[in-house]
Amino acid sequence: MTRKLFTIGPVEMYEYTKGRPMGPLPYFRTDEFSDIYFECAERLRRLTGAPGDAHVYLLTCSGTGAMEAVVGGCFAGADRLLVVDGGGFGHRFAELAAHHGVAHEPVRLSFGEGLDYGAVDEALRGAPNAEAFTGMLVNIHETTTGQLYDKDMFAWFCREYGLYLVYDAIGSFLADPLDFEKDGADAFIISSQKALALPPGLAAVILSDRLYKKVVEQDIRPFSLYFDFRDAESNAARGQTPFTPAIGAILALHERLARLEEEGGAEASAARAKALAEDFRARIRGLAEKGLIALPSYRLSNACTPLVFPKGGAKEAYKKLAQRGLWLNPNGGELADTVLRVGHLGNLTPADNQTLAEALSELL
Amino acid sequence: MTRKLFTIGPVEMYEYTKGRPMGPLPYFRTDEFSDIYFECAERLRRLTGAPGDAHVYLLTCSGTGAMEAVVGGCFAGADRLLVVDGGGFGHRFAELAAHHGVAHEPVRLSFGEGLDYGAVDEALRGAPNAEAFTGMLVNIHETTTGQLYDKDMFAWFCREYGLYLVYDAIGSFLADPLDFEKDGADAFIISSQKALALPPGLAAVILSDRLYKKVVEQDIRPFSLYFDFRDAESNAARGQTPFTPAIGAILALHERLARLEEEGGAEASAARAKALAEDFRARIRGLAEKGLIALPSYRLSNACTPLVFPKGGAKEAYKKLAQRGLWLNPNGGELADTVLRVGHLGNLTPADNQTLAEALSELL
């Protein structure tokens, strides 16, 4: 049975990644490895539109580790953050802020609810001591709901109020159009197992120079020596990491980034995800018209399509599809029986979409 | 040119690891993956001699991340630790304790100095408020100096004083004889890229049930949500990790642990490292007798042989050997020009030792 990952991480790898042998790996405290680090950093800057003075750190951890590194490493008691808590990952941002003693106000969304200007405006102006806000934490694409937020809106608010803007780009990088500078970002958080289609276990954090300077000038105490950005910075300056990194994943990243640039860069990659997402959504239009499946009405990321089962049955569908080798992303909590998510990342094709759409038709 | 890693991480991988393709990787929130997690945990318990109620966590991070998880996650302001600070990794333990606000007294050793009963006894009894000690942090093998400490001594002290005993087993697991229960351990910290000969980026922590209970009963506040043992525990109970783990590394670990047990387990692995270390030490005896190289006089781990260059020249030797594809571990700081370390971990043979010994003879 062929197994196809429509999950949103890990995803189907490209042949050149999948076929890479695990070894041999080189010793890494060398100029040769430093060059690889520098090239990865430079390519990540180009692919995200980050300026030349942006700081790029490769962290050996999951995406959540990188989220925590940024929230706990760049902000402290004197800060106050607006957090878009529109699903599991927005909620994680809020939990991280709470855990690290950073004051924060959530903009909460229930499933199905789109985020608009008014809600953010109200949260920013309506909060007591509104002038104390210093930053905003946003998942560009809230992966648990599929919602793609309006980056222009956040950029506008953050400019207007002078806030640092932290973007979790994990579910959006290479799937949706992004531009670090145009989007007014101070941080992009990236993880290896989404559209990069690499094994999980490696993350990247890109910090604007002004956010890095905040860390240094405000002398933010690192909550962890493992996630200490100042240590990461002094090592990154020589193309190294403070501790032994996931060398194999970095070498695979190095190849993947080069291929991405050869193939037209981030725009071409997002266009590809868009085409694949639109192809899938067209294929299930019939099921939607029959009311067997619904899609949320907000703007969706190209990274995934959330399938809403109006009468429940998502769990059963997940199992039956998995038995056919078609792996979708189940949701947790309240949505466990009403939502399944279909990823459009990595090495998937319209033919794969067709297989899945047909399987869904048969099931429903 | 053949490249041979005599470094102590990464090390030469076995063919079955090296040849593993990076993908495809499965979706991991499944019973199938949980079984793999459970089997890894069970095999790690057996290979370390940990009891059935010991807690095993797989962490996606470097060995230092796992050290921090234990120091910052199991101890707090009410604790007081004795830390054997006999080199870079002992010093890291001390820095981690300091960073997390845990009182600690170091037993400091300079390079070349062996640790004996008297020094530990004095540190324990001589410290003001000596009765307040609650734990001890020890690198079984201080990888930066090659010293293998006397585990029986620590077990005795910790029993005598009722201390929790945390062992960094990173440089010793599968290279030296270890036994979690007999060694009186409350924690073993393990990393993937040493004698496991896997890619770096995965670590394991084994906690005794009494140390895990301490965390819960004393309600130790996690310094990080990424490294929260209670979250790890509730996930491990179902064979899962709180966040997306390094799936590929876990699958490789799963295979490696099975092979290790087939090949006679931890004892056979340590015997193999011992034979390889003794073979290498015999081959350089001539250089030592001529005074061109010296070995420290303390007990050495089987994991590596520190080569002391009495008149300096370690840096130059490192470069020249690297040009021949022979990678040794340089030391940092004061020892940079006087010490190089030769690893005996992973897929190395006496023939590799011969190549290196001959290259050293030519150089010196």
Side-chain angles (χ1 to χ4, degrees):
Chain A
M1 185 179 63
T2 318
R3 197 188 258 262
K4 279 282 172 188
L5 294 185
F6 291 90
T7 46
I8 318 164
V11 305
E12 286 296 324
M13 294 177 182
Y14 293 95
E15 293 303 326
Y16 55 86
T17 300
K18 194 156 58 180
R20 283 184 75 89
M22 270 206 167
L25 294 179
Y27 178 60
F28 64 107
R29 298 292 190 200
T30 63
D31 293 342
E32 207 178 334
F33 190 77
S34 291
D35 287 343
I36 287 170
Y37 189 102
F38 287 133
E39 280 176 37
C40 286
E42 195 48 41
R43 287 187 192 275
L44 281 169
R45 271 188 213 98
R46 279 200 298 265
L47 287 162
T48 54
D53 64 353
H55 305 250
V56 182
Y57 307 120
L58 300 180
L59 306 179
T60 296
C61 61
S62 80
T64 296
M67 288 168 76
E68 182 162 35
V70 173
V71 176
C74 298
F75 300 97
D79 286 294
R80 190 179 191 200
L81 305 176
L82 191 84
V83 182
V84 178
D85 181 352
F89 290 99
H91 196 66
R92 190 163 292 172
F93 259 150
E95 287 177 330
L96 288 168
H99 188 78
H100 292 288
V102 185
H104 60 287
E105 296 293 328
V107 182
R108 287 202 187 89
L109 301 172
S110 19
F111 183 74
E113 194 183 350
L115 178 69
D116 62 16
Y117 176 93
V120 179
D121 189 53
E122 193 187 308
L124 272 176
R125 286 179 210 267
N129 197 16
E131 65 285 0
F133 279 112
T134 57
M136 206 184 273
L137 307 179
V138 184
N139 319 94
I140 298 176
H141 160 216
E142 169 53 74
T143 320
T144 55
T145 68
Q147 183 162 184
L148 181 70
Y149 298 124
D150 178 355
K151 295 198 285 3
D152 291 344
M153 178 178 79
F154 297 118
W156 184 86
F157 273 115
C158 288
R159 263 197 311 273
E160 193 71 10
Y161 289 82
L163 309 181
Y164 293 98
L165 177 51
V166 168
Y167 274 133
D168 157 15
I170 293 172
S172 216
F173 174 53
L174 300 175
D176 300 305
L178 296 186
D179 188 301
F180 193 95
E181 280 205 278
K182 195 172 89 30
D183 297 336
D186 288 296
F188 264 13
I189 298 159
I190 290 170
S191 190
S192 56
Q193 82 280 17
K194 305 286 179 180
L196 282 168
L198 300 171
L202 183 67
V205 166
I206 305 179
L207 297 185
S208 69
D209 191 50
R210 78 174 195 130
L211 184 51
Y212 180 72
K213 285 214 171 89
K214 173 188 189 300
V215 174
V216 174
E217 284 163 13
Q218 297 183 359
D219 200 16
I220 307 282
R221 187 173 191 280
F223 66 96
S224 149
L225 294 185
Y226 189 65
F227 289 123
D228 178 355
F229 281 134
R230 271 162 292 191
D231 197 5
E233 173 66 26
S234 64
N235 278 276
R238 58 185 182 112
Q240 292 285 330
T241 53
F243 314 110
T244 310
I247 301 172
I250 291 178
L251 296 178
L253 172 70
H254 186 245
E255 178 178 13
R256 173 75 173 125
L257 295 175
R259 298 257 193 166
L260 272 162
E261 292 209 283
E262 280 163 27
E263 291 164 7
E267 265 180 62
S269 174
R272 198 181 165 283
K274 182 180 161 75
L276 200 64
E278 287 178 351
D279 171 81
F280 178 73
R281 290 166 196 166
R283 288 178 196 275
I284 57 161
R285 197 161 294 146
L287 294 174
E289 282 165 2
K290 286 180 199 149
L292 298 169
I293 260 178
L295 264 56
S297 57
Y298 44 64
R299 190 155 59 135
L300 294 177
S301 164
N302 298 320
C304 85
T305 301
L307 304 179
V308 182
F309 292 67
K311 297 172 192 162
K315 278 185 189 177
E316 191 58 25
Y318 167 79
K319 273 185 216 160
K320 287 196 173 151
L321 292 167
Q323 282 160 6
R324 296 184 182 204
L326 303 172
W327 291 85
L328 273 61
N329 243 131
N331 270 45
E334 293 178 346
L335 303 174
D337 202 38
T338 47
V339 180
L340 280 182
R341 289 164 294 149
V342 177
H344 311 300
L345 302 178
N347 194 11
L348 290 172
T349 63
D352 297 320
N353 282 345
Q354 187 182 348
T355 307
L356 176 57
E358 283 171 6
L360 278 167
S361 290
E362 284 174 37
L363 276 184
L364 294 169
Chain B
M1 185 178 65
T2 318
R3 199 189 256 262
K4 280 283 172 187
L5 293 185
F6 291 90
T7 46
I8 318 164
V11 305
E12 286 296 323
M13 294 177 182
Y14 293 95
E15 292 303 327
Y16 56 87
T17 300
K18 193 156 58 179
R20 283 183 76 90
M22 269 205 169
L25 294 179
Y27 179 60
F28 65 107
R29 297 292 190 202
T30 63
D31 294 342
E32 208 179 332
F33 190 76
S34 291
D35 287 343
I36 287 170
Y37 188 104
F38 287 134
E39 281 176 36
C40 286
E42 196 46 43
R43 287 187 192 275
L44 281 170
R45 272 189 212 97
R46 279 202 297 267
L47 286 162
T48 54
D53 64 352
H55 304 249
V56 181
Y57 308 119
L58 300 181
L59 307 178
T60 296
C61 61
S62 80
T64 298
M67 287 169 76
E68 182 160 38
V70 173
V71 176
C74 298
F75 300 97
D79 286 295
R80 189 181 193 198
L81 306 176
L82 191 85
V83 183
V84 177
D85 180 352
F89 289 99
H91 196 65
R92 189 164 291 171
F93 259 150
E95 287 176 331
L96 289 167
H99 189 76
H100 292 288
V102 185
H104 60 287
E105 296 292 328
V107 182
R108 286 202 188 90
L109 301 173
S110 20
F111 182 75
E113 195 183 350
L115 178 69
D116 62 17
Y117 177 94
V120 179
D121 188 54
E122 193 186 308
L124 272 176
R125 285 179 211 267
N129 198 17
E131 65 286 0
F133 278 111
T134 57
M136 207 183 270
L137 307 180
V138 184
N139 319 94
I140 298 177
H141 161 215
E142 168 53 74
T143 320
T144 55
T145 68
Q147 183 163 185
L148 180 70
Y149 297 125
D150 178 355
K151 295 197 287 358
D152 291 343
M153 177 177 78
F154 297 117
W156 184 86
F157 274 113
C158 288
R159 263 197 312 273
E160 193 73 8
Y161 289 82
L163 309 181
Y164 293 98
L165 178 50
V166 168
Y167 274 132
D168 156 15
I170 293 172
S172 217
F173 175 53
L174 299 175
D176 301 305
L178 296 187
D179 188 301
F180 193 95
E181 281 206 277
K182 195 173 87 35
D183 297 337
D186 288 295
F188 264 14
I189 298 159
I190 289 169
S191 189
S192 56
Q193 81 280 17
K194 305 287 181 179
L196 282 168
L198 300 171
L202 183 67
V205 166
I206 306 179
L207 297 186
S208 68
D209 191 50
R210 77 174 196 129
L211 184 52
Y212 180 73
K213 285 213 172 90
K214 172 188 190 300
V215 174
V216 175
E217 284 163 13
Q218 298 183 358
D219 200 15
I220 307 283
R221 187 174 191 279
F223 65 95
S224 149
L225 294 184
Y226 188 65
F227 288 124
D228 179 354
F229 282 134
R230 272 162 292 191
D231 198 5
E233 174 64 26
S234 65
N235 278 276
R238 58 184 183 111
Q240 291 286 331
T241 53
F243 314 109
T244 310
I247 300 171
I250 291 177
L251 296 178
L253 173 71
H254 187 245
E255 178 179 11
R256 172 76 173 125
L257 296 175
R259 298 258 194 166
L260 271 162
E261 292 209 284
E262 281 163 30
E263 292 165 5
E267 266 181 60
S269 174
R272 199 180 163 286
K274 182 179 159 77
L276 201 64
E278 287 178 350
D279 171 82
F280 178 74
R281 290 166 197 166
R283 287 178 196 275
I284 56 161
R285 197 161 295 145
L287 293 175
E289 282 165 1
K290 286 180 200 149
L292 298 170
I293 260 178
L295 263 57
S297 57
Y298 43 66
R299 191 155 58 137
L300 295 177
S301 164
N302 298 320
C304 84
T305 301
L307 304 178
V308 182
F309 292 66
K311 295 170 192 163
K315 280 185 186 176
E316 190 59 26
Y318 167 79
K319 273 186 216 160
K320 287 198 173 150
L321 292 167
Q323 282 161 5
R324 296 185 181 203
L326 303 172
W327 290 86
L328 274 60
N329 242 130
N331 270 45
E334 295 180 345
L335 303 175
D337 203 38
T338 47
V339 179
L340 280 183
R341 288 165 295 149
V342 177
H344 310 300
L345 303 178
N347 193 12
L348 290 172
T349 63
D352 297 321
N353 282 344
Q354 188 183 348
T355 307
L356 176 57
E358 283 171 6
L360 278 167
S361 290
E362 282 174 39
L363 275 183
L364 294 168

